Amino acid sequence: MATEMHRARRAPPPTIKTLAEMTGYSIATISKALRESPVVAPATRDLIFKAAREVGYQANARGMALRTGKSFQAAVLMPVTAARDYEWDGVEYTQTLSGISQALDGTDYRMSVHVIRDAADGAEAARRIVDQGLADGLIFSGILAEDPRIDLLVAEQFPFVSMGRCRKDIDYAHVDIDNEWAAHAATARLIAGGHRRIALVNPERRLSYALDRIDGFARAFREAGLDAPMELIAEGDLSTHFGRQTVIDFLQRDDAPTAFVCINESTTLGVLSGLGSLGRQVGVDVDVIAYDDINVSAYFTPPITTFYQPIEVLGRTLGQFLLRRMEGEDPAALRQVFRPTLIARQPDNLGGRLIQS
């Protein structure tokens, strides 16, 4: 019995001959249909593809590549820091990759992940992928204000979708968060609650979305007729340690902030840790608003007000756009900017209470 089970597990995969026997069409017709040849009627092609799905038929990738000139690889550049003891590295990328994988499921494309260390490494990887034909399209994030990857891929007319937008006026496919709006909405909410000394825990401003966040932060103060406390913008690596140290440093000031706007879950966790170490309580001594893309903010103690955007949705949209881009669709039609949803868990009006007292 064990031998029979072993043989069953090693049953040969279905072939074109299998599909011919199932459908009654010739091997030549099956082959042409799988290549989507126009000589095969659409109804016949649909029937053959249906049979292929039912038996789990997969075309030989090497053979398809030779016939079509395609690699059937969708490349993703995944940044991994070289810094030691970085607590949050790669957490959000698993959700992004999951979303992309969902979009590619059921297609001939497979995802290939290329690990990179920084923007320069990413530019080299993009050049290598283009020059060596390692993939038919590319997805990447961590967009710089002036990003050489975008310049390269636009010049080469190579299909790509970026997670984020550079600051140049160029036509390319992208998916993004409206970071200017999110920072403005968070800051304006705190200003309406009476806060005037608000800190922005932000990434380094070489990143495009860091500048978007600063723009939104400053606009909220400008619209309120107030001077923005630009000296309370902290820039760092977005680690938990960075968030904690920012709080400890800022709360030693004579004109310490009464509220913090955090760029991600990692810095938020650090901010809460720093407040706890100083004996400060969220909602009592200091207010905090965060941005969340992997749905962990509800588990913070206490739960804090958050702007939430599921990163898996972003990943799925990236994958869908890349498939359309690889089919030749105009990149100008492949743009989507999401606005996160406000999840209010704190009144964020500590500043008002301080002013009244």
Side-chain angles (χ1 to χ4, degrees), residues 250-287:
F250 277 0
L251 291 187
Q252 291 177 351
R253 302 172 60 115
D254 292 335
D255 53 351
T258 60
F260 289 82
V261 175
C262 300
I263 193 67
N264 67 355
E265 305 93 328
S266 177
T267 56
T268 303
L269 180 60
V271 165
L272 296 180
S273 174
L275 291 173
S277 71
L278 297 173
R280 308 294 181 89
Q281 297 182 48
V282 175
V284 177
D285 304 300
V286 178
D287 283 329

Side-chain angles (χ1 to χ4, degrees), residues 4 25 33 81 92 132 134 136 185 190 288 290 296 306 321 338:
E4 292 176 358
Y25 291 105
T81 182
E92 70 275 21
Q132 298 180 17
L134 300 179
D136 302 323
L190 292 168
V288 177
V296 300
T306 303
F321 279 9
F338 290 86

Side-chain angles (χ1 to χ4, degrees), residues 93-334:
Y93 290 108
T94 58
Q95 295 293 316
T96 305
L97 294 176
S98 174
I100 296 171
S101 180
Q102 290 170 30
L104 299 180
D105 188 36
T107 74
D108 291 323
Y109 283 95
R110 294 295 176 264
M111 181 169 55
S112 60
V113 177
H114 300 251
V115 175
I116 61 173
R117 294 297 183 184
D118 51 33
D121 194 20
E124 291 179 6
R127 168 57 71 185
R128 187 166 58 253
I129 289 167
V130 172
D131 290 348
Q132 298 180 17
L134 300 179
D136 302 323
L138 181 60
I139 292 173
F140 56 96
S141 60
I143 308 303
L144 305 179
E146 295 189 11
D147 201 298
R149 295 167 298 183
I150 291 177
D151 294 336
L152 164 67
L153 296 169
V154 169
E156 294 285 348
Q157 298 184 335
F158 188 83
F160 76 96
V161 185
S162 64
M163 177 59 215
R165 296 164 287 172
C166 70
R167 307 280 279 195
K168 290 184 177 181
D169 185 16
I170 308 176
D171 283 335
Y172 56 96
H174 60 258
V175 177
D176 202 3
I177 300 296
D178 194 338
N179 285 287
E180 195 277 346
W181 175 87
H184 172 272
T187 306
R189 180 180 175 90
L190 292 168
I191 291 173
H195 290 279
R196 298 297 179 264
R197 300 290 294 169
I198 302 171
L200 176 64
V201 185
N202 215 36
E204 298 172 359
R205 64 181 68 202
R206 63 189 179 85
L207 293 165
S208 186
Y209 80 104
L211 297 173
D212 293 341
R213 294 258 172 172
I214 292 172
D215 289 344
F217 178 78
R219 180 165 69 90
F221 279 96
R222 186 168 61 251
E223 290 177 354
L226 301 169
D227 292 331
M230 305 301 284
E231 72 280 6
L232 293 181
I233 298 176
E235 299 179 30
D237 63 2
L238 302 189
S239 64
T240 307
H241 173 77
F242 166 64
R244 175 184 168 88
Q245 194 60 47
T246 296
V247 164
I248 292 172
D249 291 343
F250 277 0
L251 291 187
Q252 291 177 351
R253 302 172 60 115
D254 292 335
D255 53 351
T258 60
F260 289 82
V261 175
C262 300
I263 193 67
N264 67 355
E265 305 93 328
S266 177
T267 56
T268 303
L269 180 60
V271 165
L272 296 180
S273 174
L275 291 173
S277 71
L278 297 173
R280 308 294 181 89
Q281 297 182 48
V282 175
V284 177
D285 304 300
V286 178
D287 283 329
V288 177
I289 295 183
Y291 171 75
D292 185 6
D293 57 21
I294 58 175
N295 198 26
V296 300
S297 59
Y299 302 100
F300 290 146
T301 302
I304 60 174
T305 296
T306 303
F307 283 89
Y308 176 58
Q309 174 60 51
I311 197 168
E312 184 178 321
V313 174
L314 303 179
R316 190 158 55 245
T317 307
L318 285 166
Q320 292 166 349
F321 279 9
L322 185 63
L323 287 170
R324 292 164 62 183
R325 185 70 189 94
M326 290 187 297
E327 289 297 318
E329 191 164 339
D330 187 347
L334 302 173

Side-chain angles (χ1 to χ4, degrees), residues 71-86:
S71 68
F72 291 95
Q73 295 290 313
V76 180
L77 301 184
M78 189 177 82
V80 175
T81 182
R84 294 184 178 182
D85 301 323
Y86 190 79

Side-chain angles (χ1 to χ4, degrees), residues 21-45:
E21 292 171 351
M22 286 180 64
T23 63
Y25 291 105
S26 68
I27 289 177
T29 300
I30 299 291
S31 179
K32 290 175 183 177
L34 293 175
R35 296 199 308 270
E36 300 192 43
S37 170
V39 303
V40 180
T44 300
R45 186 168 62 246

